[in-house]
């Protein structure tokens, strides 16, 4: 399914709605960010107001993760502020005005609170992240907050190759890449594939 076709469907479903919430989920390396950015650009080109809400901004601080022994598992469900994410999505759903959201600074590996404003007049909210359809608490509280959901789930071999290429960009030693792949990213991906609610639209590859 093309980006244009998905955008057509979203606009049709949104009709005259003041706020339309879209959740785009899937394992790491699936292509969620690429899809959500393409959808936003397409909607903007059509005169719509659209903003992206990445789940990355809700990473727990490295200090808290280290205290809890979770730093090597950064990216696992329990390493995010799931409650904070749910609260922000609920606030955006209400469409009662501007909402301040956090931003993840990859250069420093930290989330910065209230670093971006989503204006009240934004019609399409494109939320993107691994656990938007996850069945476990607190992620299960997202059920019903999205008007439309998309799951991007490539085959395991594709995920493995994409994630390997991702970590190679950081010039990490092979043993670190192996741990990040098989000790964290791919196990997280399997949890997502095995424990996510059905989406309105499923895309195998993007």
């Amino acid at each position: 399914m093309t980006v244009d076709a998905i955008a057509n469907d979203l606009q049709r479903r949104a009709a005259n709605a003041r706020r339309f919430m879209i959740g785009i989920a899937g394992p790491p390396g699936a292509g969620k960010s690429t899809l959500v950015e393409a959808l936003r650009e397409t909607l903007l080109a059509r005169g719509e107001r659209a903003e992206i809400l990445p789940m990355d901004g809700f990473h727990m601080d490295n200090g808290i993760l280290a205290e809890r022994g979770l730093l090597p598992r950064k990216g696992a469900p329990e390493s995010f502020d799931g409650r904070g994410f749910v609260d922000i999505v609920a606030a955006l759903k209400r469409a009662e005005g501007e909402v301040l959201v956090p931003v993840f600074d990859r250069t420093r590996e930290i989330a910065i609170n209230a670093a971006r404003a989503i204006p009240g007049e934004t019609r399409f909210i494109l939320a993107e992240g691994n656990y938007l359809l996850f069945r476990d608490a607190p992620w299960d509280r997202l059920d019903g907050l999205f008007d439309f959901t998309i799951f991007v789930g490539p085959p395991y071999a594709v995920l493995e190759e994409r994630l390997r290429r991702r970590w190679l960009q950081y010039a990490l030693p092979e043993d670190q890449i192996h741990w990040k792949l098989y000790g964290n990213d791919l196990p997280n991906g399997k949890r997502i594939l095995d424990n996510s609610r059905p989406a309105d639209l499923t895309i195998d590859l993007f």
Side-chain angles (χ1 to χ4, degrees):
M1 196 171 190
T2 66
V3 171
D4 275 333
I6 297 172
N8 287 341
D9 192 34
L10 294 177
Q11 287 183 298
R12 179 183 62 80
R13 290 172 181 272
N16 296 318
R18 179 184 169 201
R19 174 64 50 82
F20 195 80
M21 304 287 295
I22 303 126
I24 300 175
K32 300 182 300 298
S33 297
T34 303
L35 173 59
V36 78
E37 288 164 10
L39 278 174
R40 179 175 183 267
E41 290 304 312
T42 300
L43 290 169
L44 291 176
R46 296 180 181 191
E48 297 282 5
R49 293 179 180 269
E51 293 288 347
I52 298 170
L53 177 70
M55 205 183 75
D56 277 356
F58 297 83
H59 276 289
M60 287 184 189
D61 186 79
N62 284 355
I64 293 178
L65 294 178
E67 288 175 7
R68 299 181 180 184
L70 287 172
L71 192 54
R73 295 301 318 280
K74 191 169 184 174
E78 53 272 19
S79 72
F80 285 91
D81 175 16
R83 178 180 174 182
F85 183 76
V86 172
D87 289 346
I88 289 289
V89 171
L92 288 166
K93 174 78 170 177
R94 291 192 295 271
E96 294 173 346
E98 178 183 85
V99 176
L100 297 175
V101 300
V103 171
F104 188 64
D105 183 342
R106 291 195 175 277
T107 61
R108 293 184 289 166
E109 281 287 305
I110 60 170
I112 305 169
N113 188 43
R116 182 166 67 94
I118 295 183
E121 61 269 22
T122 304
R123 194 159 98 95
F124 288 94
I125 303 294
L126 298 153
E128 175 265 315
N130 297 345
Y131 304 109
L132 274 58
L133 294 170
F134 211 52
R135 297 181 189 274
D136 294 350
W139 310 101
D140 58 340
R141 290 171 48 206
L142 291 168
D143 191 10
L145 292 180
F146 296 115
D147 299 298
F148 190 75
T149 55
I150 301 172
F151 188 84
V152 188
Y156 182 90
V158 174
L159 285 178
E160 186 177 30
E161 178 56 29
R162 285 183 176 180
L163 289 166
R164 175 174 289 278
R165 287 203 307 266
R166 174 187 291 181
W167 291 118
L168 282 171
Q169 294 174 3
Y170 291 89
L172 297 175
E174 182 57 35
D175 60 335
Q176 288 188 34
I177 292 175
H178 188 275
W179 159 252
K180 286 183 177 295
L181 276 174
Y182 302 105
N184 195 36
D185 285 355
L186 289 171
N188 289 340
K190 188 174 188 309
R191 288 176 72 181
I192 294 161
L193 293 170
D194 292 345
N195 198 34
S196 291
R197 299 185 305 277
D200 296 307
L201 172 66
T202 297
I203 301 172
D204 290 337
L205 195 62
F206 191 85

